[in-house]
Amino acid sequence: MSEINFSWKDVPSGWALCFNQSCPLHEHCLRFQAGVLAPSDLTVSRCVTPRALTEERCKVFTSMEPTKMARGFTTIYQKVLKRDYTSLRKFMTNLLSGKRYYYEYKRGERLLSPEQQSDIRELFASFGYKDSVQFDSYEETLHFPWV
């Protein structure tokens, strides 16, 4: 995969930026590159502290490589038995941080990270639906994790 270009409007509001030019990874770090793109009138922001860099490795390094994100899961319950639906949906709602976000993810308004996709697959597998998880579509894009 290759790195893709982005602009300041792509950076989620409140996402932690980095300004540590001494970091050996800064040229390939999404957090640093987002900091470079910050508008000149930005005076206060969440930032990565220099303590994140330990022994030439940053604890919050975020690659600029595109990530395979899933969009929507409108048909995910098609193979689910009626007896499992309510419990499975409650677990999904909790997994995706509540009803509001659940529906935004379901409709594809929010993208599902690889970690979220994996968690959903594991959840369905725990109910006996190992190979039934299908997302509506996928796209390669930058991933802005909150960790």
Side-chain angles (χ1 to χ4, degrees), residues 5 10 22 45 51 56 63 83 104-105 115 117 127:
N5 294 323
D10 299 318
S22 65
S45 175
R51 288 185 215 122
E56 302 302 313
S63 175
R83 70 173 186 246
E104 289 177 2
Y105 282 115
E115 296 81 15
Q117 295 169 49
F127 276 79

Side-chain angles (χ1 to χ4, degrees), residues 1 3 7 10 18 23 35 41 45 49 51 57 64 71 91 95 97 107 112 117-118 120 123 125 130 144:
M1 284 193 228
E3 294 176 0
S7 66
D10 299 318
C18 181
C23 176
D41 61 344
S45 175
T49 68
R51 288 185 215 122
R57 180 73 183 137
M64 291 186 58
R71 184 177 294 279
F91 280 112
L95 184 69
S97 302
R107 291 187 300 257
L112 293 156
Q117 295 169 49
S118 177
I120 291 169
L123 173 61
K130 186 177 180 186
F144 293 87

Side-chain angles (χ1 to χ4, degrees), residues 2-33:
S2 61
E3 294 176 0
I4 59 177
N5 294 323
F6 70 106
S7 66
W8 176 250
K9 68 179 173 59
D10 299 318
V11 179
S13 177
W15 196 62
L17 308 174
C18 181
F19 301 96
N20 187 357
Q21 291 182 344
S22 65
C23 176
L25 302 170
H26 77 274
E27 289 182 24
H28 304 287
C29 182
L30 188 57
R31 291 185 188 281
F32 184 86
Q33 296 306 320

Side-chain angles (χ1 to χ4, degrees), residues 9-139:
K9 68 179 173 59
D10 299 318
V11 179
S13 177
W15 196 62
L17 308 174
C18 181
F19 301 96
N20 187 357
Q21 291 182 344
S22 65
C23 176
L25 302 170
H26 77 274
E27 289 182 24
H28 304 287
C29 182
L30 188 57
R31 291 185 188 281
F32 184 86
Q33 296 306 320
V36 170
L37 294 174
S40 59
D41 61 344
L42 180 72
T43 55
V44 177
S45 175
R46 289 187 68 217
C47 296
V48 175
T49 68
R51 288 185 215 122
L53 181 62
T54 58
E55 298 178 22
E56 302 302 313
R57 180 73 183 137
C58 179
K59 294 177 183 177
V60 293
F61 170 78
T62 305
S63 175
M64 291 186 58
E65 289 288 321
T67 302
K68 186 176 180 181
M69 306 285 276
R71 184 177 294 279
F73 53 88
T74 57
T75 62
I76 203 165
Y77 299 108
Q78 282 184 341
K79 296 180 183 177
V80 172
L81 298 175
K82 189 175 184 177
R83 70 173 186 246
D84 296 330
Y85 173 78
T86 301
S87 295
L88 193 50
R89 189 173 166 279
K90 283 181 183 178
F91 280 112
M92 281 281 287
T93 301
N94 288 334
L95 184 69
L96 298 173
S97 302
K99 286 183 181 181
R100 174 183 170 201
Y101 292 127
Y102 168 86
Y103 285 108
E104 289 177 2
Y105 282 115
K106 182 177 181 179
R107 291 187 300 257
E109 295 167 10
R110 289 179 176 267
L111 295 174
L112 293 156
S113 71
E115 296 81 15
Q116 289 171 310
Q117 295 169 49
S118 177
D119 290 345
I120 291 169
R121 284 189 179 92
E122 288 176 20
L123 173 61
F124 272 70
S126 74
F127 276 79
Y129 303 101
K130 186 177 180 186
D131 298 321
S132 67
V133 175
Q134 296 294 320
F135 297 102
D136 296 348
S137 64
Y138 295 91
E139 58 188 76

